[in-house]
């Protein structure tokens, strides 16, 4: 019989029990549930709500239960409705009436709100750590490719020369913002809901500040209805994770393109590729494709949460039990994606010559050619037009800006001198883009040093 047997004449129908139960997915919060209960028991004794000796027994037994679940000697009973009921029932089984005193001045409503906040705070810290590892990997690869010239693209058309380091460092910027967002969400999660009780607080003289300090929260919630029914922090985290997945999906998409024979900019290690069951020549970037594909399910989780919350009257409603599977799925998915992406990036081979070859064709130094004329005093729009005509001539005559003879250049504009060849060399095009945020090796190096300092600081 459940805890509410006094009010009920029959036990719950077994299928309904399964439907109602959340233990299969909320048992992963056992540690937070027990730590929350320990802090609560200590507070009850400090306030004289229960005897100190009983609180000591409760704390002692809860610690044992925590230890036993962690080492596998106590199996979580999947017949229990949820992890909160399981821990309380286990405590009561062991301590009798003493165990029954724990739930004074508390409800499962503020308990689940507490557990989830504690759990997601921990998960956020893990996620930040993983993102930092991913950033370090991108930095390592960038350092090896400071001078690796490749085409930069817009519209997937070759546009201007950049370096592979510059390209990878763009992802570092995205991931730094991801960490920033996670930190902001963490701060909003860091508010203790315990003490809101079922919805309207309690008549007992509880000390919420004490529990806040015990559990390492920064603040306490200021409205009991909101305390039990706010899931903004879950939605924020799911939204942050969706943005992270969008970034992972973009780099995956590029990896997939770069592996193709059409690009051949990189080669993935065999350990991070798969073959085909029928085509012997194939080496497929399945892992990158899966990361891209899994982005969809994470977006789905976010929509699940937003939709689940949108019509719920205050305060707690059982709909909210649906929050956990969605957010846990997002967390598990993003974690495994980052964990797989890191070694895949670490082991990929960068085919520098192919990148350079791709940058050497396609007139991606045309802007630099126009800038050359501008430096000789020609207005940019005029220079743009002249170079457009030169490019058109080159295409018709199957040549490049690098190979075009000086007398031909002179036919288009007399300002051209032999130093044009130096000005449009790919290396120069890159080194000369030396403004903050540009691809020049010195700019990229200095950003790498800044990011290393950021990683070593408190984030
Ligand atoms: N398993 C529930 C959940 O995840 C815990 C809270 C239940 N509270 C209640 N009054 N039914 O939301």
């Amino acid at each position: 019989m459940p805890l509410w047997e006094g009010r009920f004449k029959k036990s719950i129908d077994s299928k309904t029990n399964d439907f109602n139960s959340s233990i299969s997915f909320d048992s992963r919060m056992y540690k937070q549930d027990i730590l929350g209960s320990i802090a609560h028991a200590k507070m009850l004794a400090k306030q004289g709500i229960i005897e100190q000796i009983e609180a000591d027994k409760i704390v002692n037994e809860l610690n044992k239960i925590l230890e036993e679940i962690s080492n596998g000697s106590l199996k979580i009973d999947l017949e229990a409705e949820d992890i909160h009921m399981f821990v309380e029932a286990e405590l009561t089984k062991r301590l009798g009436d003493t165990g029954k005193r724990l739930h004074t001045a508390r409800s499962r409503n503020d308990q689940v709100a507490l557990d989830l906040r504690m759990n997601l705070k921990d998960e956020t810290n893990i996620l930040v750590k993983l993102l930092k590892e991913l950033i370090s990997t991108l930095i390592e690869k960038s350092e090896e490719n400071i001078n690796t010239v490749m085409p930069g693209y817009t519209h997937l058309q070759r546009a201007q020369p950049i370096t592979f380091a510059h390209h990878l460092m763009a992802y570092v910027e995205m991931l730094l913002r991801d960490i920033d967002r996670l930190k902001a969400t963490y701060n909003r999660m860091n508010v203790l809901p315990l003490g809101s009780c079922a919805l309207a607080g309690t008549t007992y003289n509880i000390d919420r500040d004490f529990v806040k300090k015990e559990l390492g929260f920064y603040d306490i919630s200021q409205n009991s209805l909101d305390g039990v029914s706010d899931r903004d922090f879950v939605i924020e985290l799911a939204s942050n994770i969706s943005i992270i997945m969008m970034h992972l999906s973009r780099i995956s998409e590029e990896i997939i393109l770069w592996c193709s024979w059409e690009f051949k900019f990189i080669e993935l290690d065999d350990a991070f590729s798969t073959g085909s069951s029928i085509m012997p020549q194939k080496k497929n970037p399945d892992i990158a494709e899966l990361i891209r594909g899994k982005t969809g399910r994470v977006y789905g989780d976010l929509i699940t949460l937003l939709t689940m919350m949108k019509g719920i009257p205050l305060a707690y409603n059982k709909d909210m039990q649906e929050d956990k599977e969605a957010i846990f799925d997002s967390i598990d998915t993003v974690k495994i994606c980052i964990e797989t992406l890191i070694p895949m990036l670490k082991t990929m081979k960068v085919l520098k010559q192919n990148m350079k070859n791709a940058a050497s064709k396609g007139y991606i130094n045309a802007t630099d050619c126009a800038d050359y004329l501008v430096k000789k005093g020609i207005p940019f729009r005029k220079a743009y037009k002249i170079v457009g005509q030169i490019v058109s001539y080159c295409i018709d005559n199957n040549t490049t800006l690098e190979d075009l003879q000086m007398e031909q250049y002179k036919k288009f504009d007399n300002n051209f001198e032999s130093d044009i060849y130096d000005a449009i060399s790919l290396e120069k095009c890159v080194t000369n883009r030396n403004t903050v945020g540009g691809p020049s090796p010195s700019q990229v190096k200095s950003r790498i040093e800044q990011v290393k300092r950021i990683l070593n600081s408190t984030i």
Side-chain angles (χ1 to χ4, degrees):
M1 282 299 265
L3 291 169
W4 47 78
E5 66 183 306
R7 165 74 176 78
F8 283 63
K9 297 197 176 64
K10 279 188 189 172
S11 26
I12 193 166
D13 168 74
S14 109
K15 228 187 188 117
T16 307
N17 188 43
D18 292 347
F19 181 66
N20 197 39
S21 160
S22 55
I23 192 133
S24 61
F25 49 86
D26 66 18
S27 56
R28 68 191 258 168
M29 303 194 301
Y30 74 89
K31 184 170 161 218
Q32 290 83 17
D33 191 73
I34 294 173
L35 294 179
S37 289
I38 289 175
H40 183 66
K42 285 184 183 166
M43 183 277 290
L44 291 177
K46 185 185 88 65
Q47 295 301 95
I49 300 169
I50 65 173
E51 297 287 331
Q52 185 64 50
I53 182 155
E54 295 208 277
D56 290 345
K57 279 191 200 157
I58 290 173
V59 170
N60 190 32
E61 209 54 47
L62 283 172
N63 273 319
K64 275 196 208 152
I65 293 175
L66 177 58
E67 168 75 31
E68 289 170 30
I69 298 179
S70 306
N71 69 25
S73 58
L74 174 62
K75 295 271 170 283
I76 291 174
D77 175 11
L78 292 178
E79 287 302 304
E81 188 187 319
D82 56 29
I83 189 63
H84 328 293
M85 302 277 247
F86 171 75
V87 173
E88 197 188 335
E90 185 62 30
L91 187 73
T92 303
K93 201 161 94 190
R94 297 177 183 205
L95 297 182
D97 277 354
T98 301
K100 292 184 184 168
R101 295 194 194 279
L102 171 65
H103 210 55
T104 317
R106 188 177 73 168
S107 155
R108 268 192 304 157
N109 297 351
D110 56 350
Q111 197 179 348
V112 71
L114 171 73
D115 294 2
L116 194 54
R117 280 176 189 261
M118 287 173 70
N119 186 280
L120 297 188
K121 273 171 67 181
D122 291 350
E123 293 288 8
T124 302
N125 283 335
I126 296 172
L127 198 44
V128 168
K129 216 171 136 253
L130 278 173
L131 286 172
K132 285 168 87 172
E133 264 176 64
L134 178 54
I135 291 175
S136 299
T137 306
L138 287 166
I139 283 183
E140 257 170 56
K141 280 280 155 191
S142 299
E143 283 178 322
E144 293 162 19
N145 288 286
I146 295 278
N147 295 304
T148 307
V149 175
M150 70 179 281
Y153 295 82
T154 62
H155 313 269
L156 203 56
Q157 301 288 320
R158 291 171 192 160
Q160 288 176 343
I162 55 166
T163 66
F164 193 46
H166 188 56
H167 197 112
L168 293 180
M169 287 301 290
Y171 285 102
V172 167
E173 300 300 331
M174 298 175 216
L175 299 172
L176 285 171
R177 289 194 296 274
D178 289 334
I179 291 180
D180 229 40
R181 270 185 286 271
L182 286 173
K183 280 166 59 186
T185 302
Y186 183 97
N187 290 340
R188 276 184 286 274
M189 266 179 212
N190 208 1
V191 175
L192 177 93
L194 207 69
S196 305
C197 300
L199 74 160
T202 179
T203 53
Y204 292 99
N205 177 30
I206 57 172
D207 182 350
R208 299 188 65 203
D209 271 312
F210 173 85
V211 180
K212 172 190 94 174
K213 287 189 196 114
E214 281 288 301
L215 295 175
F217 278 89
Y218 178 74
D219 211 346
I220 58 179
S221 60
Q222 296 298 317
N223 181 295
S224 60
L225 295 171
D226 182 52
V228 287
S229 66
D230 161 38
R231 293 294 182 273
D232 292 3
F233 63 99
V234 186
I235 296 174
E236 267 191 51
L237 181 59
S239 145
N240 294 344
I241 295 176
S242 294
I243 297 175
I244 297 171
M245 286 301 298
M246 179 267 289
H247 291 151
L248 302 187
S249 183
R250 289 184 77 180
I251 196 165
S252 297
E253 167 68 10
E254 299 214 283
I255 289 170
I256 294 159
L257 285 173
W258 292 337
C259 283
S260 69
W261 282 103
E262 283 68 18
F263 277 81
K264 263 291 162 249
F265 285 180
I266 59 165
E267 191 169 341
L268 292 180
D269 192 84
D270 285 358
F272 299 95
S273 328
T274 54
S276 155
S277 60
I278 172 170
M279 297 164 282
Q281 86 284 10
K282 289 291 282 295
K283 182 166 167 184
N284 297 329
D286 288 33
I287 306 308
E289 290 166 37
L290 263 178
I291 295 175
R292 189 178 59 184
K294 283 179 189 291
T295 305
R297 74 190 264 170
V298 171
Y299 290 0
D301 291 332
L302 172 62
I303 298 300
T304 297
L305 289 163
L306 284 166
T307 313
M308 181 272 287
M309 284 302 288
K310 76 182 251 304
I312 298 186
L314 301 185
Y316 177 83
N317 294 259
K318 190 76 171 201
D319 318 37
M320 289 157 78
Q321 178 166 287
E322 289 287 309
D323 58 3
K324 280 169 274 315
E325 278 167 296
I327 193 64
F328 293 157
D329 180 65
S330 290
I331 290 167
D332 295 344
T333 306
V334 72
K335 278 185 353 197
I336 185 91
C337 287
I338 299 175
E339 282 161 358
T340 324
L341 185 58
I342 290 172
M344 187 168 74
L345 287 172
K346 271 201 177 135
T347 54
M348 78 181 178
K349 205 158 110 200
V350 179
L351 305 175
K352 300 185 183 189
Q353 193 53 48
N354 290 355
M355 288 188 180
K356 177 132 194 232
N357 292 347
S360 310
K361 297 169 205 151
Y363 311 100
I364 70 174
N365 44 6
T367 317
D368 301 85
C369 189
D371 286 342
Y372 171 91
L373 289 177
V374 170
K375 281 172 198 149
K376 303 255 168 172
I378 296 182
F380 180 76
R381 272 289 158 246
K382 218 167 149 193
Y384 171 95
K385 196 168 169 198
I386 295 167
V387 177
Q389 286 160 350
I390 300 177
V391 168
S392 167
Y393 175 87
C394 287
I395 293 171
D396 291 345
N397 292 277
N398 200 19
T399 184
T400 64
L401 293 176
E402 289 90 329
D403 294 332
L404 192 67
Q405 296 299 304
M406 184 41 63
E407 62 265 26
Q408 285 299 336
Y409 267 115
K410 290 265 188 210
K411 278 189 197 154
F412 288 101
D413 194 285
N414 215 21
N415 285 293
F416 281 115
E417 312 275 351
S418 59
D419 57 351
I420 178 65
Y421 297 107
D422 185 46
I424 59 167
S425 79
L426 288 179
E427 284 73 16
K428 267 281 160 57
C429 296
V430 170
T431 355
N432 287 347
R433 289 190 153 71
N434 198 24
T435 44
V436 173
S440 79
S442 71
Q443 285 300 330
V444 174
K445 271 189 211 154
S446 90
R447 183 56 183 159
I448 286 177
E449 290 317 311
Q450 281 174 9
V451 176
K452 281 183 178 170
R453 281 197 292 278
I454 296 173
L455 290 185
N456 286 331
S457 69
T458 48
I459 70 159

